[in-house]
Amino acid sequence: GAVVSQHPSRVICKSGTSVKIECRSLDFQATTMFWYRQFPKKSLMLMATSNEGSKATYEQGVEKDKFLINHASLTLSTLTVTSAHPEDSSFYICSARAGRGDTQYFGPGTRLTVL
Amino acid sequence: AQSVSQHNHHVILSEAASLELGCNYSYGGTVNLFWYVQYPGQHLQLLLKYFSGDPLVKGIKGFEAEFIKSKFSFNLRKPSVQWSDTAEYFCAVNAPYNQAGTALIFGKGTTLSVSS
């Protein structure tokens, strides 16, 4: 199957700093990438959908100024958590899809811990 | 908007027992249906998917699922579980022609614990 990578796999930062997470589709071109957040023992919550070359569409309740998403190429999307706070600590997972009717492939996730 | 409900929060089985995990979705239009598995400490892996055609779908590791359109259901089954099936199982749905969004929407997940 298709491979999606995320970097870093784990990051610890101080409160108030910004953290950037990268998501790459390694062997296919992803017209659409998605960012999810997973809380312990909880399901994946969709944060935003990003199409290459256009602004991301955020789900209700997700602050677009706090979670900046860039999808500048067909193989790379980035999520920047700005002015991180301890409540932003979570597991962030990206997924990528080649086309509208295609399967979404998931990255391994990034564990963010804000001290 | 579509939503997904998984009825079983935590299922505990002995090895060789049969498994059925329930999944219902709410959306009136065309849907694609998926089951993902997340083993402890690992990332999501696709077990099986249904786009169209035969409503009985076979996936990896002996899993299968049946799409029953009239019941808006996509239950996951395995005739004989193994200890290695211990994991979190997620049902997911997307509506590929939904103008409001085509992202996968997940159920809350079912924790399966298999004792040897």
PDB file of all heavy atoms in Angstrom, chain A residues 34 36 38 42-44 46 49 91 97 100-108, chain B residues 34 36 38 43-44 46 49 51 90 94 96-97 102-104 106-108:
ATOM      1  N   PHE A  34      -5.241  15.260   5.169  1.00  0.00           N
ATOM      2  CA  PHE A  34      -6.117  15.490   6.313  1.00  0.00           C
ATOM      3  C   PHE A  34      -5.285  15.460   7.591  1.00  0.00           C
ATOM      4  O   PHE A  34      -4.331  14.700   7.703  1.00  0.00           O
ATOM      5  CB  PHE A  34      -7.186  14.395   6.404  1.00  0.00           C
ATOM      6  CG  PHE A  34      -7.979  14.200   5.138  1.00  0.00           C
ATOM      7  CD1 PHE A  34      -7.531  13.312   4.170  1.00  0.00           C
ATOM      8  CD2 PHE A  34      -9.150  14.898   4.924  1.00  0.00           C
ATOM      9  CE1 PHE A  34      -8.255  13.123   2.992  1.00  0.00           C
ATOM     10  CE2 PHE A  34      -9.881  14.706   3.757  1.00  0.00           C
ATOM     11  CZ  PHE A  34      -9.435  13.827   2.791  1.00  0.00           C
ATOM     12  N   TYR A  36      -5.684  14.870  11.715  1.00  0.00           N
ATOM     13  CA  TYR A  36      -6.540  14.387  12.787  1.00  0.00           C
ATOM     14  C   TYR A  36      -5.809  14.542  14.118  1.00  0.00           C
ATOM     15  O   TYR A  36      -4.581  14.591  14.179  1.00  0.00           O
ATOM     16  CB  TYR A  36      -6.854  12.896  12.595  1.00  0.00           C
ATOM     17  CG  TYR A  36      -7.746  12.559  11.421  1.00  0.00           C
ATOM     18  CD1 TYR A  36      -7.228  12.434  10.138  1.00  0.00           C
ATOM     19  CD2 TYR A  36      -9.103  12.335  11.596  1.00  0.00           C
ATOM     20  CE1 TYR A  36      -8.034  12.105   9.056  1.00  0.00           C
ATOM     21  CE2 TYR A  36      -9.925  11.987  10.526  1.00  0.00           C
ATOM     22  CZ  TYR A  36      -9.378  11.882   9.264  1.00  0.00           C
ATOM     23  OH  TYR A  36     -10.182  11.544   8.204  1.00  0.00           O
ATOM     24  N   GLN A  38      -5.839  12.636  17.948  1.00  0.00           N
ATOM     25  CA  GLN A  38      -6.321  11.478  18.692  1.00  0.00           C
ATOM     26  C   GLN A  38      -5.969  11.629  20.157  1.00  0.00           C
ATOM     27  O   GLN A  38      -4.804  11.716  20.522  1.00  0.00           O
ATOM     28  CB  GLN A  38      -5.713  10.184  18.141  1.00  0.00           C
ATOM     29  CG  GLN A  38      -6.295   8.929  18.765  1.00  0.00           C
ATOM     30  CD  GLN A  38      -5.697   7.655  18.165  1.00  0.00           C
ATOM     31  OE1 GLN A  38      -4.527   7.627  17.791  1.00  0.00           O
ATOM     32  NE2 GLN A  38      -6.506   6.605  18.091  1.00  0.00           N
ATOM     33  N   LYS A  42      -9.380   7.490  22.636  1.00  0.00           N
ATOM     34  CA  LYS A  42     -10.455   8.152  21.906  1.00  0.00           C
ATOM     35  C   LYS A  42     -10.259   7.988  20.414  1.00  0.00           C
ATOM     36  O   LYS A  42      -9.195   7.628  19.940  1.00  0.00           O
ATOM     37  CB  LYS A  42     -10.478   9.657  22.241  1.00  0.00           C
ATOM     38  CG  LYS A  42     -10.800   9.978  23.663  1.00  0.00           C
ATOM     39  CD  LYS A  42     -12.264   9.748  23.972  1.00  0.00           C
ATOM     40  CE  LYS A  42     -12.582  10.208  25.378  1.00  0.00           C
ATOM     41  NZ  LYS A  42     -13.987   9.961  25.735  1.00  0.00           N
ATOM     42  N   SER A  43     -11.314   8.296  19.725  1.00  0.00           N
ATOM     43  CA  SER A  43     -11.249   8.166  18.282  1.00  0.00           C
ATOM     44  C   SER A  43     -10.460   9.314  17.668  1.00  0.00           C
ATOM     45  O   SER A  43     -10.008  10.224  18.348  1.00  0.00           O
ATOM     46  CB  SER A  43     -12.662   8.140  17.714  1.00  0.00           C
ATOM     47  OG  SER A  43     -12.631   7.932  16.327  1.00  0.00           O
ATOM     48  N   LEU A  44     -10.308   9.247  16.367  1.00  0.00           N
ATOM     49  CA  LEU A  44      -9.625  10.315  15.658  1.00  0.00           C
ATOM     50  C   LEU A  44     -10.620  11.439  15.362  1.00  0.00           C
ATOM     51  O   LEU A  44     -11.695  11.195  14.811  1.00  0.00           O
ATOM     52  CB  LEU A  44      -9.054   9.795  14.335  1.00  0.00           C
ATOM     53  CG  LEU A  44      -7.759   9.010  14.428  1.00  0.00           C
ATOM     54  CD1 LEU A  44      -8.001   7.617  14.967  1.00  0.00           C
ATOM     55  CD2 LEU A  44      -7.077   8.954  13.081  1.00  0.00           C
ATOM     56  N   LEU A  46     -11.245  14.709  13.220  1.00  0.00           N
ATOM     57  CA  LEU A  46     -10.776  15.453  12.062  1.00  0.00           C
ATOM     58  C   LEU A  46     -10.598  16.917  12.430  1.00  0.00           C
ATOM     59  O   LEU A  46     -11.515  17.538  12.977  1.00  0.00           O
ATOM     60  CB  LEU A  46     -11.776  15.314  10.912  1.00  0.00           C
ATOM     61  CG  LEU A  46     -11.442  16.075   9.629  1.00  0.00           C
ATOM     62  CD1 LEU A  46     -10.185  15.503   8.984  1.00  0.00           C
ATOM     63  CD2 LEU A  46     -12.620  16.013   8.661  1.00  0.00           C
ATOM     64  N   THR A  49      -9.027  19.689   6.504  1.00  0.00           N
ATOM     65  CA  THR A  49      -8.782  19.071   5.195  1.00  0.00           C
ATOM     66  C   THR A  49      -8.018  20.077   4.355  1.00  0.00           C
ATOM     67  O   THR A  49      -8.411  21.249   4.285  1.00  0.00           O
ATOM     68  CB  THR A  49     -10.112  18.745   4.496  1.00  0.00           C
ATOM     69  OG1 THR A  49     -10.857  17.849   5.315  1.00  0.00           O
ATOM     70  CG2 THR A  49      -9.872  18.130   3.133  1.00  0.00           C
ATOM     71  N   PHE A  91      -1.858  13.371  20.215  1.00  0.00           N
ATOM     72  CA  PHE A  91      -1.285  12.589  19.131  1.00  0.00           C
ATOM     73  C   PHE A  91      -1.889  13.114  17.842  1.00  0.00           C
ATOM     74  O   PHE A  91      -3.112  13.090  17.670  1.00  0.00           O
ATOM     75  CB  PHE A  91      -1.629  11.110  19.353  1.00  0.00           C
ATOM     76  CG  PHE A  91      -0.818  10.147  18.549  1.00  0.00           C
ATOM     77  CD1 PHE A  91       0.565  10.174  18.593  1.00  0.00           C
ATOM     78  CD2 PHE A  91      -1.429   9.180  17.766  1.00  0.00           C
ATOM     79  CE1 PHE A  91       1.328   9.279  17.863  1.00  0.00           C
ATOM     80  CE2 PHE A  91      -0.684   8.272  17.029  1.00  0.00           C
ATOM     81  CZ  PHE A  91       0.697   8.317  17.084  1.00  0.00           C
ATOM     82  N   ARG A  97      -4.558  11.288   0.452  1.00  0.00           N
ATOM     83  CA  ARG A  97      -5.388  10.596  -0.521  1.00  0.00           C
ATOM     84  C   ARG A  97      -5.053  11.133  -1.900  1.00  0.00           C
ATOM     85  O   ARG A  97      -4.887  12.336  -2.079  1.00  0.00           O
ATOM     86  CB  ARG A  97      -6.854  10.868  -0.176  1.00  0.00           C
ATOM     87  CG  ARG A  97      -7.882  10.147  -1.003  1.00  0.00           C
ATOM     88  CD  ARG A  97      -9.291  10.557  -0.593  1.00  0.00           C
ATOM     89  NE  ARG A  97      -9.616  11.909  -1.006  1.00  0.00           N
ATOM     90  CZ  ARG A  97     -10.660  12.585  -0.557  1.00  0.00           C
ATOM     91  NH1 ARG A  97     -11.456  12.054   0.342  1.00  0.00           N
ATOM     92  NH2 ARG A  97     -10.908  13.803  -0.993  1.00  0.00           N
ATOM     93  N   ARG A 100     -10.406  11.850  -5.011  1.00  0.00           N
ATOM     94  CA  ARG A 100     -11.634  11.910  -4.221  1.00  0.00           C
ATOM     95  C   ARG A 100     -12.173  10.529  -3.861  1.00  0.00           C
ATOM     96  O   ARG A 100     -12.641  10.297  -2.777  1.00  0.00           O
ATOM     97  CB  ARG A 100     -12.695  12.699  -4.999  1.00  0.00           C
ATOM     98  CG  ARG A 100     -14.037  12.802  -4.321  1.00  0.00           C
ATOM     99  CD  ARG A 100     -15.002  13.601  -5.176  1.00  0.00           C
ATOM    100  NE  ARG A 100     -14.731  15.017  -5.097  1.00  0.00           N
ATOM    101  CZ  ARG A 100     -15.333  15.853  -4.256  1.00  0.00           C
ATOM    102  NH1 ARG A 100     -16.231  15.387  -3.421  1.00  0.00           N
ATOM    103  NH2 ARG A 100     -15.038  17.130  -4.239  1.00  0.00           N
ATOM    104  N   GLY A 101     -12.103   9.601  -4.764  1.00  0.00           N
ATOM    105  CA  GLY A 101     -12.652   8.277  -4.493  1.00  0.00           C
ATOM    106  C   GLY A 101     -11.649   7.279  -3.960  1.00  0.00           C
ATOM    107  O   GLY A 101     -11.954   6.092  -3.831  1.00  0.00           O
ATOM    108  N   ASP A 102     -10.452   7.738  -3.650  1.00  0.00           N
ATOM    109  CA  ASP A 102      -9.385   6.825  -3.242  1.00  0.00           C
ATOM    110  C   ASP A 102      -9.320   6.630  -1.727  1.00  0.00           C
ATOM    111  O   ASP A 102      -9.888   7.397  -0.960  1.00  0.00           O
ATOM    112  CB  ASP A 102      -8.036   7.340  -3.740  1.00  0.00           C
ATOM    113  CG  ASP A 102      -7.942   7.313  -5.251  1.00  0.00           C
ATOM    114  OD1 ASP A 102      -8.458   6.345  -5.854  1.00  0.00           O
ATOM    115  OD2 ASP A 102      -7.375   8.254  -5.829  1.00  0.00           O
ATOM    116  N   THR A 103      -8.591   5.609  -1.347  1.00  0.00           N
ATOM    117  CA  THR A 103      -8.385   5.311   0.067  1.00  0.00           C
ATOM    118  C   THR A 103      -7.478   6.353   0.707  1.00  0.00           C
ATOM    119  O   THR A 103      -6.536   6.847   0.088  1.00  0.00           O
ATOM    120  CB  THR A 103      -7.744   3.918   0.202  1.00  0.00           C
ATOM    121  OG1 THR A 103      -8.620   2.957  -0.383  1.00  0.00           O
ATOM    122  CG2 THR A 103      -7.504   3.566   1.663  1.00  0.00           C
ATOM    123  N   GLN A 104      -7.801   6.693   1.959  1.00  0.00           N
ATOM    124  CA  GLN A 104      -6.913   7.541   2.741  1.00  0.00           C
ATOM    125  C   GLN A 104      -5.867   6.665   3.412  1.00  0.00           C
ATOM    126  O   GLN A 104      -6.222   5.664   4.040  1.00  0.00           O
ATOM    127  CB  GLN A 104      -7.688   8.273   3.847  1.00  0.00           C
ATOM    128  CG  GLN A 104      -8.348   9.550   3.413  1.00  0.00           C
ATOM    129  CD  GLN A 104      -9.094  10.216   4.549  1.00  0.00           C
ATOM    130  OE1 GLN A 104     -10.271  10.527   4.438  1.00  0.00           O
ATOM    131  NE2 GLN A 104      -8.418  10.478   5.651  1.00  0.00           N
ATOM    132  N   TYR A 105      -4.608   7.050   3.285  1.00  0.00           N
ATOM    133  CA  TYR A 105      -3.520   6.346   3.949  1.00  0.00           C
ATOM    134  C   TYR A 105      -2.997   7.208   5.082  1.00  0.00           C
ATOM    135  O   TYR A 105      -2.867   8.429   4.938  1.00  0.00           O
ATOM    136  CB  TYR A 105      -2.420   6.000   2.946  1.00  0.00           C
ATOM    137  CG  TYR A 105      -2.892   5.010   1.914  1.00  0.00           C
ATOM    138  CD1 TYR A 105      -3.367   5.430   0.679  1.00  0.00           C
ATOM    139  CD2 TYR A 105      -2.909   3.645   2.198  1.00  0.00           C
ATOM    140  CE1 TYR A 105      -3.830   4.525  -0.265  1.00  0.00           C
ATOM    141  CE2 TYR A 105      -3.379   2.732   1.263  1.00  0.00           C
ATOM    142  CZ  TYR A 105      -3.840   3.175   0.043  1.00  0.00           C
ATOM    143  OH  TYR A 105      -4.312   2.275  -0.875  1.00  0.00           O
ATOM    144  N   PHE A 106      -2.699   6.561   6.187  1.00  0.00           N
ATOM    145  CA  PHE A 106      -2.363   7.291   7.392  1.00  0.00           C
ATOM    146  C   PHE A 106      -0.884   7.254   7.711  1.00  0.00           C
ATOM    147  O   PHE A 106      -0.207   6.255   7.491  1.00  0.00           O
ATOM    148  CB  PHE A 106      -3.164   6.730   8.580  1.00  0.00           C
ATOM    149  CG  PHE A 106      -4.602   7.127   8.542  1.00  0.00           C
ATOM    150  CD1 PHE A 106      -5.503   6.442   7.746  1.00  0.00           C
ATOM    151  CD2 PHE A 106      -5.056   8.223   9.267  1.00  0.00           C
ATOM    152  CE1 PHE A 106      -6.825   6.828   7.675  1.00  0.00           C
ATOM    153  CE2 PHE A 106      -6.376   8.614   9.201  1.00  0.00           C
ATOM    154  CZ  PHE A 106      -7.265   7.922   8.404  1.00  0.00           C
ATOM    155  N   GLY A 107      -0.417   8.377   8.255  1.00  0.00           N
ATOM    156  CA  GLY A 107       0.936   8.425   8.766  1.00  0.00           C
ATOM    157  C   GLY A 107       0.999   7.793  10.145  1.00  0.00           C
ATOM    158  O   GLY A 107      -0.038   7.474  10.741  1.00  0.00           O
ATOM    159  N   PRO A 108       2.194   7.624  10.676  1.00  0.00           N
ATOM    160  CA  PRO A 108       2.379   6.971  11.974  1.00  0.00           C
ATOM    161  C   PRO A 108       2.048   7.848  13.167  1.00  0.00           C
ATOM    162  O   PRO A 108       2.013   7.368  14.296  1.00  0.00           O
ATOM    163  CB  PRO A 108       3.863   6.596  11.966  1.00  0.00           C
ATOM    164  CG  PRO A 108       4.492   7.597  11.066  1.00  0.00           C
ATOM    165  CD  PRO A 108       3.471   7.913  10.017  1.00  0.00           C
TER     166      PRO A 108
ATOM    167  N   PHE B  34     -14.947   1.677   5.761  1.00  0.00           N
ATOM    168  CA  PHE B  34     -13.622   1.162   6.084  1.00  0.00           C
ATOM    169  C   PHE B  34     -13.590   0.613   7.510  1.00  0.00           C
ATOM    170  O   PHE B  34     -14.323   1.080   8.387  1.00  0.00           O
ATOM    171  CB  PHE B  34     -12.581   2.284   5.996  1.00  0.00           C
ATOM    172  CG  PHE B  34     -12.542   3.021   4.687  1.00  0.00           C
ATOM    173  CD1 PHE B  34     -13.482   4.007   4.395  1.00  0.00           C
ATOM    174  CD2 PHE B  34     -11.561   2.748   3.763  1.00  0.00           C
ATOM    175  CE1 PHE B  34     -13.450   4.693   3.186  1.00  0.00           C
ATOM    176  CE2 PHE B  34     -11.509   3.433   2.559  1.00  0.00           C
ATOM    177  CZ  PHE B  34     -12.455   4.403   2.275  1.00  0.00           C
ATOM    178  N   TYR B  36     -10.347   0.095  10.183  1.00  0.00           N
ATOM    179  CA  TYR B  36      -8.930   0.246  10.453  1.00  0.00           C
ATOM    180  C   TYR B  36      -8.616  -0.435  11.777  1.00  0.00           C
ATOM    181  O   TYR B  36      -9.457  -0.508  12.683  1.00  0.00           O
ATOM    182  CB  TYR B  36      -8.543   1.719  10.550  1.00  0.00           C
ATOM    183  CG  TYR B  36      -8.454   2.441   9.228  1.00  0.00           C
ATOM    184  CD1 TYR B  36      -9.593   3.001   8.649  1.00  0.00           C
ATOM    185  CD2 TYR B  36      -7.241   2.563   8.554  1.00  0.00           C
ATOM    186  CE1 TYR B  36      -9.520   3.657   7.427  1.00  0.00           C
ATOM    187  CE2 TYR B  36      -7.157   3.231   7.341  1.00  0.00           C
ATOM    188  CZ  TYR B  36      -8.296   3.768   6.786  1.00  0.00           C
ATOM    189  OH  TYR B  36      -8.214   4.432   5.582  1.00  0.00           O
ATOM    190  N   GLN B  38      -5.588  -0.542  14.929  1.00  0.00           N
ATOM    191  CA  GLN B  38      -4.415   0.116  15.511  1.00  0.00           C
ATOM    192  C   GLN B  38      -3.886  -0.797  16.610  1.00  0.00           C
ATOM    193  O   GLN B  38      -4.485  -0.910  17.687  1.00  0.00           O
ATOM    194  CB  GLN B  38      -4.783   1.487  16.066  1.00  0.00           C
ATOM    195  CG  GLN B  38      -3.594   2.324  16.500  1.00  0.00           C
ATOM    196  CD  GLN B  38      -4.005   3.740  16.892  1.00  0.00           C
ATOM    197  OE1 GLN B  38      -5.095   3.976  17.389  1.00  0.00           O
ATOM    198  NE2 GLN B  38      -3.121   4.701  16.667  1.00  0.00           N
ATOM    199  N   HIS B  43       0.682   2.549  14.233  1.00  0.00           N
ATOM    200  CA  HIS B  43      -0.235   3.465  13.582  1.00  0.00           C
ATOM    201  C   HIS B  43      -1.397   2.718  12.941  1.00  0.00           C
ATOM    202  O   HIS B  43      -1.417   1.494  12.920  1.00  0.00           O
ATOM    203  CB  HIS B  43       0.503   4.326  12.557  1.00  0.00           C
ATOM    204  CG  HIS B  43       1.106   3.555  11.421  1.00  0.00           C
ATOM    205  ND1 HIS B  43       2.314   2.910  11.516  1.00  0.00           N
ATOM    206  CD2 HIS B  43       0.666   3.329  10.165  1.00  0.00           C
ATOM    207  CE1 HIS B  43       2.591   2.335  10.370  1.00  0.00           C
ATOM    208  NE2 HIS B  43       1.606   2.563   9.535  1.00  0.00           N
ATOM    209  N   LEU B  44      -2.333   3.462  12.447  1.00  0.00           N
ATOM    210  CA  LEU B  44      -3.521   2.893  11.824  1.00  0.00           C
ATOM    211  C   LEU B  44      -3.173   2.082  10.583  1.00  0.00           C
ATOM    212  O   LEU B  44      -2.376   2.503   9.755  1.00  0.00           O
ATOM    213  CB  LEU B  44      -4.480   4.005  11.414  1.00  0.00           C
ATOM    214  CG  LEU B  44      -5.324   4.648  12.500  1.00  0.00           C
ATOM    215  CD1 LEU B  44      -6.025   5.858  11.931  1.00  0.00           C
ATOM    216  CD2 LEU B  44      -6.342   3.666  13.050  1.00  0.00           C
ATOM    217  N   LEU B  46      -5.130  -0.227   7.431  1.00  0.00           N
ATOM    218  CA  LEU B  46      -6.388  -0.558   6.789  1.00  0.00           C
ATOM    219  C   LEU B  46      -6.615  -2.070   6.829  1.00  0.00           C
ATOM    220  O   LEU B  46      -5.775  -2.843   6.382  1.00  0.00           O
ATOM    221  CB  LEU B  46      -6.372  -0.070   5.342  1.00  0.00           C
ATOM    222  CG  LEU B  46      -7.631  -0.325   4.521  1.00  0.00           C
ATOM    223  CD1 LEU B  46      -8.810   0.459   5.078  1.00  0.00           C
ATOM    224  CD2 LEU B  46      -7.392   0.041   3.061  1.00  0.00           C
ATOM    225  N   LYS B  49     -12.031  -2.500   3.089  1.00  0.00           N
ATOM    226  CA  LYS B  49     -12.819  -1.355   2.642  1.00  0.00           C
ATOM    227  C   LYS B  49     -13.910  -1.820   1.693  1.00  0.00           C
ATOM    228  O   LYS B  49     -13.784  -2.855   1.045  1.00  0.00           O
ATOM    229  CB  LYS B  49     -11.933  -0.323   1.950  1.00  0.00           C
ATOM    230  CG  LYS B  49     -11.245  -0.855   0.697  1.00  0.00           C
ATOM    231  CD  LYS B  49     -10.276   0.166   0.133  1.00  0.00           C
ATOM    232  CE  LYS B  49      -9.558  -0.393  -1.098  1.00  0.00           C
ATOM    233  NZ  LYS B  49      -8.536   0.550  -1.628  1.00  0.00           N
ATOM    234  N   PHE B  51     -16.260  -0.116  -1.380  1.00  0.00           N
ATOM    235  CA  PHE B  51     -16.604   1.018  -2.228  1.00  0.00           C
ATOM    236  C   PHE B  51     -17.898   0.703  -2.987  1.00  0.00           C
ATOM    237  O   PHE B  51     -18.801   1.522  -3.064  1.00  0.00           O
ATOM    238  CB  PHE B  51     -15.484   1.323  -3.216  1.00  0.00           C
ATOM    239  CG  PHE B  51     -14.331   2.115  -2.628  1.00  0.00           C
ATOM    240  CD1 PHE B  51     -14.201   2.267  -1.259  1.00  0.00           C
ATOM    241  CD2 PHE B  51     -13.383   2.705  -3.450  1.00  0.00           C
ATOM    242  CE1 PHE B  51     -13.152   2.993  -0.716  1.00  0.00           C
ATOM    243  CE2 PHE B  51     -12.330   3.435  -2.914  1.00  0.00           C
ATOM    244  CZ  PHE B  51     -12.211   3.579  -1.557  1.00  0.00           C
ATOM    245  N   PHE B  90     -11.331   0.581  14.452  1.00  0.00           N
ATOM    246  CA  PHE B  90     -12.095   1.773  14.110  1.00  0.00           C
ATOM    247  C   PHE B  90     -12.863   1.557  12.813  1.00  0.00           C
ATOM    248  O   PHE B  90     -12.293   1.141  11.811  1.00  0.00           O
ATOM    249  CB  PHE B  90     -11.179   2.979  13.921  1.00  0.00           C
ATOM    250  CG  PHE B  90     -10.469   3.413  15.159  1.00  0.00           C
ATOM    251  CD1 PHE B  90      -9.171   3.008  15.421  1.00  0.00           C
ATOM    252  CD2 PHE B  90     -11.096   4.248  16.077  1.00  0.00           C
ATOM    253  CE1 PHE B  90      -8.506   3.417  16.564  1.00  0.00           C
ATOM    254  CE2 PHE B  90     -10.444   4.658  17.228  1.00  0.00           C
ATOM    255  CZ  PHE B  90      -9.149   4.245  17.466  1.00  0.00           C
ATOM    256  N   ASN B  94     -16.637   7.607   4.594  1.00  0.00           N
ATOM    257  CA  ASN B  94     -16.576   8.891   3.918  1.00  0.00           C
ATOM    258  C   ASN B  94     -17.606   8.919   2.801  1.00  0.00           C
ATOM    259  O   ASN B  94     -18.066   7.886   2.328  1.00  0.00           O
ATOM    260  CB  ASN B  94     -15.165   9.234   3.416  1.00  0.00           C
ATOM    261  CG  ASN B  94     -14.834   8.633   2.074  1.00  0.00           C
ATOM    262  OD1 ASN B  94     -15.277   7.540   1.741  1.00  0.00           O
ATOM    263  ND2 ASN B  94     -14.052   9.347   1.295  1.00  0.00           N
ATOM    264  N   PRO B  96     -17.942  10.271  -0.729  1.00  0.00           N
ATOM    265  CA  PRO B  96     -17.069  10.809  -1.768  1.00  0.00           C
ATOM    266  C   PRO B  96     -17.673  11.931  -2.602  1.00  0.00           C
ATOM    267  O   PRO B  96     -16.927  12.664  -3.251  1.00  0.00           O
ATOM    268  CB  PRO B  96     -16.760   9.580  -2.629  1.00  0.00           C
ATOM    269  CG  PRO B  96     -17.880   8.641  -2.375  1.00  0.00           C
ATOM    270  CD  PRO B  96     -18.282   8.871  -0.947  1.00  0.00           C
ATOM    271  N   TYR B  97     -18.973  12.082  -2.573  1.00  0.00           N
ATOM    272  CA  TYR B  97     -19.609  13.128  -3.384  1.00  0.00           C
ATOM    273  C   TYR B  97     -20.229  14.215  -2.517  1.00  0.00           C
ATOM    274  O   TYR B  97     -20.982  15.041  -2.998  1.00  0.00           O
ATOM    275  CB  TYR B  97     -20.672  12.526  -4.303  1.00  0.00           C
ATOM    276  CG  TYR B  97     -20.124  11.393  -5.129  1.00  0.00           C
ATOM    277  CD1 TYR B  97     -20.529  10.083  -4.894  1.00  0.00           C
ATOM    278  CD2 TYR B  97     -19.186  11.622  -6.114  1.00  0.00           C
ATOM    279  CE1 TYR B  97     -20.000   9.035  -5.628  1.00  0.00           C
ATOM    280  CE2 TYR B  97     -18.654  10.583  -6.858  1.00  0.00           C
ATOM    281  CZ  TYR B  97     -19.069   9.289  -6.609  1.00  0.00           C
ATOM    282  OH  TYR B  97     -18.553   8.254  -7.334  1.00  0.00           O
ATOM    283  N   THR B 102     -15.213  15.360   2.228  1.00  0.00           N
ATOM    284  CA  THR B 102     -15.082  13.937   1.887  1.00  0.00           C
ATOM    285  C   THR B 102     -14.081  13.215   2.771  1.00  0.00           C
ATOM    286  O   THR B 102     -13.637  12.128   2.440  1.00  0.00           O
ATOM    287  CB  THR B 102     -14.662  13.794   0.407  1.00  0.00           C
ATOM    288  OG1 THR B 102     -13.392  14.425   0.231  1.00  0.00           O
ATOM    289  CG2 THR B 102     -15.679  14.428  -0.520  1.00  0.00           C
ATOM    290  N   ALA B 103     -13.735  13.830   3.899  1.00  0.00           N
ATOM    291  CA  ALA B 103     -12.766  13.187   4.792  1.00  0.00           C
ATOM    292  C   ALA B 103     -13.386  11.979   5.472  1.00  0.00           C
ATOM    293  O   ALA B 103     -14.609  11.882   5.633  1.00  0.00           O
ATOM    294  CB  ALA B 103     -12.310  14.182   5.848  1.00  0.00           C
ATOM    295  N   LEU B 104     -12.530  11.068   5.891  1.00  0.00           N
ATOM    296  CA  LEU B 104     -12.975   9.934   6.673  1.00  0.00           C
ATOM    297  C   LEU B 104     -13.450  10.402   8.042  1.00  0.00           C
ATOM    298  O   LEU B 104     -12.758  11.159   8.710  1.00  0.00           O
ATOM    299  CB  LEU B 104     -11.837   8.943   6.875  1.00  0.00           C
ATOM    300  CG  LEU B 104     -11.630   7.870   5.805  1.00  0.00           C
ATOM    301  CD1 LEU B 104     -10.408   7.031   6.157  1.00  0.00           C
ATOM    302  CD2 LEU B 104     -12.851   6.994   5.677  1.00  0.00           C
ATOM    303  N   PHE B 106     -14.559   8.918  11.723  1.00  0.00           N
ATOM    304  CA  PHE B 106     -14.329   7.704  12.483  1.00  0.00           C
ATOM    305  C   PHE B 106     -15.344   7.497  13.590  1.00  0.00           C
ATOM    306  O   PHE B 106     -15.848   8.460  14.187  1.00  0.00           O
ATOM    307  CB  PHE B 106     -12.934   7.751  13.128  1.00  0.00           C
ATOM    308  CG  PHE B 106     -11.823   7.497  12.154  1.00  0.00           C
ATOM    309  CD1 PHE B 106     -11.357   8.519  11.343  1.00  0.00           C
ATOM    310  CD2 PHE B 106     -11.247   6.246  12.041  1.00  0.00           C
ATOM    311  CE1 PHE B 106     -10.338   8.292  10.426  1.00  0.00           C
ATOM    312  CE2 PHE B 106     -10.230   6.008  11.138  1.00  0.00           C
ATOM    313  CZ  PHE B 106      -9.775   7.034  10.329  1.00  0.00           C
ATOM    314  N   GLY B 107     -15.606   6.245  13.882  1.00  0.00           N
ATOM    315  CA  GLY B 107     -16.308   5.892  15.092  1.00  0.00           C
ATOM    316  C   GLY B 107     -15.368   6.017  16.278  1.00  0.00           C
ATOM    317  O   GLY B 107     -14.167   6.260  16.110  1.00  0.00           O
ATOM    318  N   LYS B 108     -15.890   5.821  17.478  1.00  0.00           N
ATOM    319  CA  LYS B 108     -15.084   6.014  18.687  1.00  0.00           C
ATOM    320  C   LYS B 108     -14.116   4.865  18.942  1.00  0.00           C
ATOM    321  O   LYS B 108     -13.264   4.955  19.820  1.00  0.00           O
ATOM    322  CB  LYS B 108     -16.000   6.196  19.902  1.00  0.00           C
ATOM    323  CG  LYS B 108     -16.758   7.521  19.881  1.00  0.00           C
ATOM    324  CD  LYS B 108     -17.471   7.754  21.194  1.00  0.00           C
ATOM    325  CE  LYS B 108     -18.266   9.045  21.166  1.00  0.00           C
ATOM    326  NZ  LYS B 108     -17.421  10.224  20.907  1.00  0.00           N
TER     327      LYS B 108
END
